[in-house]
Amino acid sequence: MTDRSAGLRANQPLGAGAMLGYGVGSVGTGVYSTVPGILLLYFATQQLHLPPALAGAAILAPKLVVIFADPLIGRWSDREVRALGSRRRLQGLGIAASAVAFTALFAVPQLATPQLTALLLAASYLLASLAYSFFAVPYLAVSVDLALAEGPAARLIGIRLVFAFAGILLGASGAPALVTAFGGGAPAYRWMALAIAACCACAMTIAWLRPIAAGSNPAPAAAISGFALMRLRGFRAALGVYFLAMAGCGTASAATAYYLVIARARPEADIGQFFLIQIGAAILAMIPWSIMVERTGTARGMMLALGLAVIASLALSMAISWPAILAGAAFGGLATAGIQVAGFSALAAFGRSTGTAASATLAGVWSAAEKVALALGPALCGLALSFGGFRSGVSPALQTDGARFAAVAAMGVVPCGLFVLAAVCLALQSDRMTPQERARRLES
């Protein structure tokens, strides 16, 4: 295959500049994937005055479309890389479109009825999700391409995840701080979105300007479909465990604002501090997790991460004082880092089994599952708040005890149940091989 871009081939040594240039793009993807999960439900209930169940449904519905869209975008990218040797065209489209769509998402006005407002919110979120996918799916596929050359792939995945968690930290702590700095209310959300979109566009453009080409191994004439990938039992099982784990993370993220402000009577400014501790712990744990998962295998690493996630969920359910809450946040960050490292190590292993012809399709299926899982979190949080009698647009001090209990349940009990379910599913699998061993088995 001829590489017509200025990028580096996956089977050539990658310098630090190339890997860092690629990794910077994950700052943008980390922010874009984090801010809606943390603030969109809160924005919908407090600024648009939507009932929490309706708001959660409006956030979940667009992600159900992504289940089909992301694998199709992946196949499109696979065809493009076979023709051009690069995935840059779709990425460039995604950079421009996602900046506009993300800004518009937090500019949705309150319409005549809650149903119309929810419909407009869902449509805006769908456009933002699709625009983001045009960059994220080909971008993620590059690290899967490099799984064909194990040394560069291992380093690149680690660097990418460090930058991704830096983006998550920026989005989780910076976005609430920007809303507060801009004075709160609906206009502050619009200015926050504009500032965030500009930062993300810059980070993603740096990665776009420093391309790493797909591997040069010959590709089959036809790409593999997402349905064919789902017929791989090992892939299906690994994806299911990762889906449940990320749904737990998404539920906790969506519930954080309600948990702190309503259940624990903390000021909104503490939301950013909570995420600063949580994501900071995740960043510090990233390299140790990478080393451990490489030595022990993805299954054992994922099981340990799920155990830490259960401890963190239970701790936050019982924590009252601010130091205890921050300790729970730190444990949650350690668990999230482990889930991410183990999950993407499994993805890289499966990438070696499919080859370059299907790497973006593989990334699209994985990305779609992750996005739906993260969107399921706000939906579950909204249902819990509805059952607890939460009233949209009402001051936290005037919420009922049922609403406060629901916020605690959405922060701790519901995620804990999802983490336990993921651990049970993982325990039922007999495969405890390392990613390299799993790849050799699939290739045989």
Side-chain angles (χ1 to χ4, degrees):
M1 179 170 61
T2 303
D3 184 355
R4 301 174 190 174
S5 75
L8 298 170
R9 291 183 182 276
N11 59 351
Q12 293 178 346
L14 297 179
M19 289 192 287
L20 291 175
Y22 173 80
V24 169
S26 289
V27 174
T29 63
V31 172
Y32 275 147
S33 64
T34 300
V35 175
I38 292 171
L39 287 182
L40 190 56
L41 182 66
Y42 196 71
F43 168 76
T45 58
Q46 300 303 94
Q47 302 302 324
L48 303 181
H49 298 169
L50 293 179
L54 180 60
I59 293 171
L60 176 61
K63 294 302 183 181
L64 299 179
V65 177
V66 169
I67 294 177
F68 304 98
D70 274 18
L72 291 176
I73 292 172
R75 293 199 73 186
W76 185 357
S77 181
D78 284 333
R79 287 195 297 268
E80 182 176 274
V81 81
R82 290 197 306 277
L84 303 175
S86 171
R87 304 186 187 277
R88 298 182 72 220
R89 285 200 307 186
L90 287 182
Q91 288 178 293
L93 174 62
I95 292 171
S98 58
V100 175
F102 182 82
T103 304
L105 177 61
F106 286 93
V108 170
Q110 184 179 2
L111 301 181
T113 66
Q115 290 76 18
L116 288 175
T117 303
L119 184 62
L120 180 59
L121 179 67
S124 299
Y125 195 28
L126 175 60
L127 292 176
S129 299
L130 292 175
Y132 168 74
S133 292
F134 277 110
F135 177 85
V137 172
Y139 176 79
L140 178 60
V142 172
S143 60
V144 181
D145 289 335
L146 290 177
L148 299 171
E150 296 183 21
R155 293 194 300 271
L156 196 69
I157 288 172
I159 290 174
R160 189 185 71 78
L161 286 176
V162 168
F163 277 104
F165 272 92
I168 292 171
L169 176 62
L170 176 63
S173 61
L178 284 173
V179 172
T180 301
F182 285 125
Y189 279 91
R190 289 194 289 271
W191 285 110
M192 174 276 296
L194 183 61
I196 289 289
C199 292
C200 290
C202 291
M204 293 155 72
T205 300
I206 291 173
W208 184 75
L209 292 174
R210 295 295 302 267
I212 297 175
S216 59
N217 289 10
I224 300 173
S225 70
F227 293 106
L229 289 171
M230 290 303 293
R231 286 197 293 269
L232 292 172
R233 184 181 62 84
F235 177 75
R236 207 167 52 239
L239 185 61
V241 170
Y242 185 70
F243 178 89
L244 291 170
M246 293 309 296
C249 295
T251 304
S253 294
T256 298
Y258 301 96
Y259 168 78
L260 292 177
V261 177
I262 294 173
R264 297 298 183 250
R266 304 296 305 183
E268 290 188 357
D270 283 353
I271 299 172
Q273 186 178 352
F274 178 95
F275 283 113
L276 179 66
I277 297 298
Q278 185 179 70
I279 309 305
I283 293 175
L284 293 176
M286 191 64 62
I287 299 303
W289 272 115
S290 299
I291 295 172
M292 194 202 72
V293 168
E294 183 178 359
R295 291 179 179 176
T296 65
T298 58
R300 291 185 177 90
M302 180 65 81
M303 185 64 78
L304 178 57
L306 291 171
L308 288 175
V310 169
I311 293 173
S313 299
L314 295 176
L316 288 169
S317 297
M318 297 181 288
I320 300 296
S321 68
W322 186 232
I325 291 172
L326 292 181
F331 266 98
L334 296 177
T336 303
I339 290 169
Q340 289 278 316
V341 170
F344 281 103
S345 295
L347 177 64
F350 284 109
R352 285 190 290 277
S353 74
T354 58
T356 306
S359 56
T361 305
L362 178 68
V365 173
W366 196 271
S367 174
E370 181 182 57
K371 290 174 184 177
V372 173
L374 291 174
L376 183 61
L380 293 174
C381 178
L383 285 176
L385 292 172
S386 294
F387 284 128
F390 175 84
R391 293 175 292 173
S392 300
V394 174
S395 169
L398 300 179
Q399 296 289 348
T400 64
D401 289 338
R404 295 186 181 91
F405 176 80
V408 174
M411 184 70 181
V413 179
V414 177
C416 182
L418 290 167
F419 295 137
V420 169
L421 182 58
V424 170
C425 292
L426 182 58
L428 292 176
Q429 301 174 31
S430 59
D431 190 355
R432 292 295 185 270
M433 296 185 296
T434 64
Q436 294 80 6
E437 292 169 337
R438 181 181 292 109
R440 286 194 292 270
R441 173 180 171 182
L442 289 170
E443 288 168 349
S444 65

